[in-house]
Amino acid sequence: MAALAVGALSAPFASANDDLEDRRKAVERRIEHAQEDLHESSSRMAAARSRLQAARTQLDGARVALATAQGKVAVAQQRDAEMQVELTDAEAELAQARTDLDTGRTDMRAQQDTVASTISSIYQEGDPELLAFSALLDSRTPADLTRSSEARDAMVGRETRAYQALSAAEVLLAVREDQVEAAKDAVQAKREEAAAHLAEMEALEAQTAAAAQSVAALVGERRTAEQEATVARAADARTLEALRREDARIEEMLRRRAAEALRRARAAAARANTSSQAGPPASSGGFLSMPAAGGVTSPYGMRTHPIYGYYSLHDGTDFGADCGSPLYAAADGTVISSYWSSVYGNRMIIDNGVAAGVGLATIYNHATRYTVAEGQQVSRGQVVGYVGSTGWSTGCHLHFTVMANGRAVDPANWL
């Protein structure tokens, strides 16, 4: 906010200087390494900006969370489809295993019938071993004996095959029963996995819905914050316009006082047959004492305002002094004004008379309070107030302005 002030109105005067462009570039190089200006906007605008920034940051985070949740849901849906296929395959395998089991049971019963028939036949025809012995006794020739032996072997072979087929059917039936049990276990496991996955899907979908609601809410919050920032900015613009008018009045007052002081000084010099020094010092002349403790946090110079975007003059030097630390008169002088400014907070102007051929005045801004009043004479080094953070300020500091013939100049050339 210090980019406005008195210097914004005195830019036409400064632009008349031939070396303004060189000075501007030099100042910009210094500003690149300077700390951020402490007083950028009104507290309302600062709060609106902070809220807007927070809403934007939270919205970015919410959108990332939503995208992450949506990605998880997409992966879960793909896995769900795969699990459905796996479950369908497992159920198909179970159905096939049950079909095979039914077939095996049918084959088992058939083999049991075959064995029973074989046993019944043997019972009816007699024991093959006994029949073979009887045939041996009844054989008249070697050929009869051979035929009897072949018949016996056929009967025994039929019996053996029947039992072997029955044993194979029993083994196959047991295998198929095991397959059915395994398939049932697989189907059960797939169903349990699907149920667990369904619960996970529901949780992810709820998370996605919550993230979507958060995004929607933050979008609304951002819009509200943007509206508040717009309203605050418009209010600040009106305040700044009033400040410009006030600063124009102060500049005109200081120009008149400077002109009158110079006139009196020249008249006195003429009477004394002496001459005054012409022009302000080109470099630090040390005429003014330091007005506060603490280093420079923002120097005098041209800049683009970080919030409002206009390019103008930061018309003074900011000293990052501690809250409540003393403010000192930079030179002897008279307090010609002390009042409240919505932008500068507590503001005091001291007329320091003629110095180096110009009418000099110093302005102290953002003080917590002053210890001197209008019309009071002050001496160099006298405590005139205390550092504060009033007006458009985000931290305790002194915004110190030096006016030469009613125009803001770089305090560094006078300190």
Side-chain angles (χ1 to χ4, degrees):
M1 206 64 270
L4 282 178
V6 179
L9 294 170
S10 63
F13 298 94
S15 63
N17 295 335
D18 294 337
D19 64 343
L20 178 59
E21 184 64 21
D22 292 339
R23 290 180 59 201
R24 182 180 66 80
K25 291 180 179 179
V27 169
E28 285 180 339
R29 286 193 295 271
R30 289 168 57 194
I31 290 173
E32 287 178 356
H33 304 288
Q35 297 184 24
E36 192 67 45
D37 194 358
L38 284 175
H39 43 298
E40 296 179 346
S41 61
S42 68
S43 58
R44 182 180 179 186
M45 181 63 194
R49 184 190 186 200
S50 176
R51 181 180 174 187
L52 177 58
Q53 183 60 41
R56 285 172 175 167
T57 301
Q58 292 171 357
L59 181 57
D60 289 342
R63 282 173 171 160
V64 170
L66 176 58
T68 301
Q70 289 173 335
K72 289 180 179 179
V73 168
V75 172
Q77 288 173 339
Q78 181 179 356
R79 178 56 185 154
D80 184 64
E82 293 171 354
M83 291 175 66
Q84 289 297 326
V85 172
E86 292 173 0
L87 178 58
T88 300
D89 291 344
E91 289 174 339
E93 289 177 2
L94 175 58
Q96 183 61 47
R98 284 173 171 165
T99 299
D100 292 343
L101 179 60
D102 291 339
T103 302
R105 286 172 175 165
T106 300
D107 291 343
M108 180 69 177
R109 287 193 292 271
Q111 290 302 322
Q112 287 174 339
D113 292 342
T114 300
V115 171
S117 176
T118 301
I119 294 172
S120 176
S121 175
I122 292 173
Y123 178 77
Q124 292 174 358
E125 296 175 3
D127 187 293
E129 298 294 336
L130 292 178
L131 289 175
F133 182 72
S134 175
L136 177 62
L137 296 177
D138 293 340
S139 298
R140 296 185 180 86
T141 64
D144 293 337
L145 182 59
T146 299
R147 284 193 295 273
S148 298
S149 178
E150 290 174 352
R152 180 192 65 79
D153 290 342
M155 292 177 63
V156 172
R158 186 181 67 176
E159 176 188 2
T160 301
R161 286 193 299 275
Y163 276 107
Q164 287 175 343
L166 178 59
S167 297
E170 290 175 342
V171 171
L172 182 59
L173 182 62
V175 170
R176 287 173 173 167
E177 288 175 343
D178 290 342
Q179 288 175 340
V180 168
E181 291 302 319
K184 285 169 62 178
D185 291 343
V187 168
Q188 181 63 26
K190 294 296 181 185
R191 286 175 177 167
E192 291 174 356
E193 185 179 359
H197 187 71
L198 177 61
E200 181 181 354
M201 283 277 291
E202 291 174 347
L204 286 174
E205 287 171 353
Q207 181 181 347
T208 302
Q213 290 175 354
S214 176
V215 168
L218 286 170
V219 166
E221 168 67 11
R222 184 191 64 184
R223 288 174 180 168
T224 301
E226 286 175 343
Q227 292 170 355
E228 290 183 0
T230 300
V231 171
R233 180 169 180 167
D236 283 2
R238 292 190 295 271
T239 300
L240 292 175
E241 183 57 34
L243 177 66
R244 290 187 182 99
R245 293 192 296 270
E246 173 65 14
D247 283 346
R249 183 190 66 80
I250 292 172
E251 281 190 340
E252 180 60 27
M253 176 188 68
L254 292 176
R255 278 195 291 268
R256 288 198 307 269
R257 290 181 67 92
E260 179 61 22
L262 286 171
R263 187 190 64 76
R264 289 196 302 269
R266 286 171 183 149
R271 288 192 299 272
N273 195 24
T274 59
S275 62
S276 60
Q277 181 181 352
S283 60
S284 178
F287 177 80
L288 297 176
S289 300
M290 293 295 288
V296 173
T297 58
S298 187
Y300 172 97
M302 300 296 293
R303 70 188 58 196
T304 298
H305 192 277
I307 292 180
Y308 303 111
Y310 53 76
Y311 186 75
S312 60
L313 182 69
H314 178 233
D315 75 322
T317 298
D318 289 346
F319 295 91
D322 294 334
C323 297
S325 58
L327 294 172
Y328 304 99
D332 296 346
T334 303
V335 179
I336 60 173
S337 184
S338 181
Y339 64 98
W340 171 267
S341 164
S342 59
V343 175
Y344 284 114
N346 287 319
R347 192 178 204 201
M348 182 174 67
I349 304 172
I350 297 177
D351 185 349
N352 302 106
V354 177
V358 299
L360 200 67
T362 48
I363 303 177
Y364 303 75
N365 302 286
H366 303 299
T368 184
R369 67 184 181 90
Y370 294 110
T371 59
V372 292
E374 289 185 19
Q376 185 173 338
Q377 298 290 320
V378 297
S379 302
R380 180 189 302 272
Q382 178 181 341
V383 175
V384 294
Y386 298 96
V387 174
S389 184
T390 56
W392 289 8
S393 172
T394 57
C396 286
H397 71 292
L398 166 65
H399 176 75
F400 182 66
T401 301
V402 175
M403 304 288 286
N405 291 337
R407 182 171 64 88
V409 295
D410 189 351
N413 292 332
W414 290 86
L415 291 169

